[in-house]
Amino acid sequence: MKKRYSYLIRPLQIILDIFIINFAVYLIYDKEFLNTSFLSYISLFWFFTSYFLGFYKVYRYTKALHILTLLIRQFSIFFLGYFAYFGAFREGDVVNNQFVILSAIIISITAIKFLWLFLLKKYRSYGNNYRTTVVIGYDDSVKKLIKLFQSKSNLGYKYLGFFSNKTYKSKEFLGNLESVVEYTTNNIVDEIYCSLSSLDKEQIKKLNKFALDKGIVLKLIPESNELYSKNQSTVFYDDTITVLNVKKLPFEFPENFYKKRIFDVFFSLFVCVFLLSWLIPILWVLVKLESKGPLIFKQKREGINGDEFVCYKFRSMKINATANKVHATKNDSRVTKIGAFLRKTSMDELPQFINVLLGDMSVVGPRPHLESLSLEYQKDVDNYLKRHIVKPGITGLAQISGYRGEITKKSDIINRVRLDIFYIENWSFFLDIKIIIQTVLNVFKGEEKAY
């Protein structure tokens, strides 16, 4: 499997730009000007404005003119924020060299932005940092796109071939439309470009589902006279080639992963320091008094991308041979008295905040299942594997909606997966906060299936 490092490009650009800002201030400062509060302010201001203005949203097909637009927009806001500091904290004093520093920042970052673009294109022209692509259909629009992939290597696309229901003698012909799934399963394919004139709506729907399950980007090539919904964004690879991006899921944007991870770390540290630090010794005594065995119960569960990890819980059962095979049921004889209390209050899940710190889980997400049960659920529920594109959570939308604990009928797992997928497709930071608050309220209110 090809190693991916493209996800590091934007973080590196952000770090480099913030370094340039701080270095410019340090290099051209006067003694009164240089202070920690200003450096912190200007760095944070740059970080948040660049995020909200999409300053780092530069793609393989982005043109130099668009980058110039991004620079003008970013520096217009940065200019206001830069001088707002002096108005608020220096009572409007003109500090020596402040215009020189601002000019140095603007010139340096502009130069670095275009240099970065040039070096990336040069690097890609040598066959590095590429994305493998296949195309479905072979109409005029597709032929233009293929020609673009083959003629402009600096875009970083490695064209593998095309699929069509018509047979062609070309070496690029990979087979008919039915062979798309088999080919992309057995080969590394990053992006599929699909001509809308070659497939009907049902076929595109199935292809989109397959692409989501496999983590492949699906892009649509429209006919010139078509109109499209707001759920699709139009991009131009060349003056004559239009491509539709299928609406991205929230977690396909790297910044959402970082935002969620930062919150997970701080929230989990808070729980570990202010709750688990004193709760663990107390529970160790109580659990040991009632039954033999360790305080922490370890169980292998499925995580992101189906990878296995060790999930931690406070032990709520007597040591038994079926703990890793069978979920707890109502009035389960294996559950101890202190264990019943832990389960009722969901305190048995608290050690999973350690899993969050280790990076195996998130505070909010689909609950992780045992591998044996996961294989069974995959047979019964469509889109089940879509749960694996995010980290599992300590709590989730399905859990606060009543679908937690024991699966007694098929509709339980169907509804759980339905809510998990809704969460993945509609994630926001505030949705996570809402789920956490509702989870805490449910603990005090009590839940019927908390056993």
Side-chain angles (χ1 to χ4, degrees), residues 159-175:
Y159 168 65
L160 301 177
F162 69 93
F163 297 88
S164 175
N165 278 336
K166 294 181 181 179
T167 303
Y168 294 87
K169 293 181 179 180
S170 170
K171 293 179 180 179
E172 299 169 11
F173 178 62
L174 301 175

Side-chain angles (χ1 to χ4, degrees), residues 106-122:
I106 292 173
I107 293 169
S108 300
I109 289 180
T110 300
I112 290 294
K113 191 81 170 175
F114 282 107
L115 179 62
W116 192 291
L117 178 69
F118 171 78
L119 291 176
L120 266 180
K121 285 185 177 294
K122 198 71 176 174

Side-chain angles (χ1 to χ4, degrees), residues 31-50:
K31 289 184 179 179
E32 292 183 17
F33 183 77
L34 184 66
N35 59 73
T36 307
S37 63
F38 177 75
L39 292 176
S40 301
Y41 164 81
I42 211 69
S43 298
L44 288 172
F45 187 83
W46 177 271
F47 178 81
F48 285 110
T49 54
S50 64

Side-chain angles (χ1 to χ4, degrees), residues 7 19 25 59 165 211 221 245 263 294 298 338 359 373 417:
Y7 68 93
F19 171 79
V25 174
Y59 306 96
N165 278 336
I221 306 170
N245 281 326
F263 173 78
K298 301 176 183 178
I338 184 66
L373 294 174
V417 172

Side-chain angles (χ1 to χ4, degrees), residues 369-429:
H369 293 150
L370 293 167
E371 185 179 4
S372 57
L373 294 174
S374 182
L375 291 171
E376 181 184 328
Y377 298 151
Q378 288 176 39
K379 300 174 185 176
D380 297 331
V381 186
D382 290 336
N383 293 328
Y384 179 84
L385 290 176
K386 197 172 180 180
R387 302 170 78 253
H388 291 158
I389 68 175
V390 299
K391 290 180 182 178
I394 297 174
T395 184
L397 183 61
Q399 282 62 48
I400 65 167
S401 303
Y403 297 100
R404 58 165 293 175
E406 185 184 11
I407 304 293
T408 57
K409 51 187 183 293
K410 189 175 179 179
S411 61
D412 288 341
I413 187 61
I414 289 174
N415 285 316
R416 181 182 291 189
V417 172
R418 176 177 59 82
L419 289 166
D420 286 340
I421 292 174
F422 178 88
Y423 168 80
I424 291 168
E425 292 179 344
N426 297 275
W427 177 87
S428 71
F429 178 75

Side-chain angles (χ1 to χ4, degrees), residues 79-92:
F79 178 89
L80 297 175
Y82 179 86
F83 285 105
Y85 176 86
F86 302 105
F89 300 106
R90 300 297 297 266
E91 299 180 356

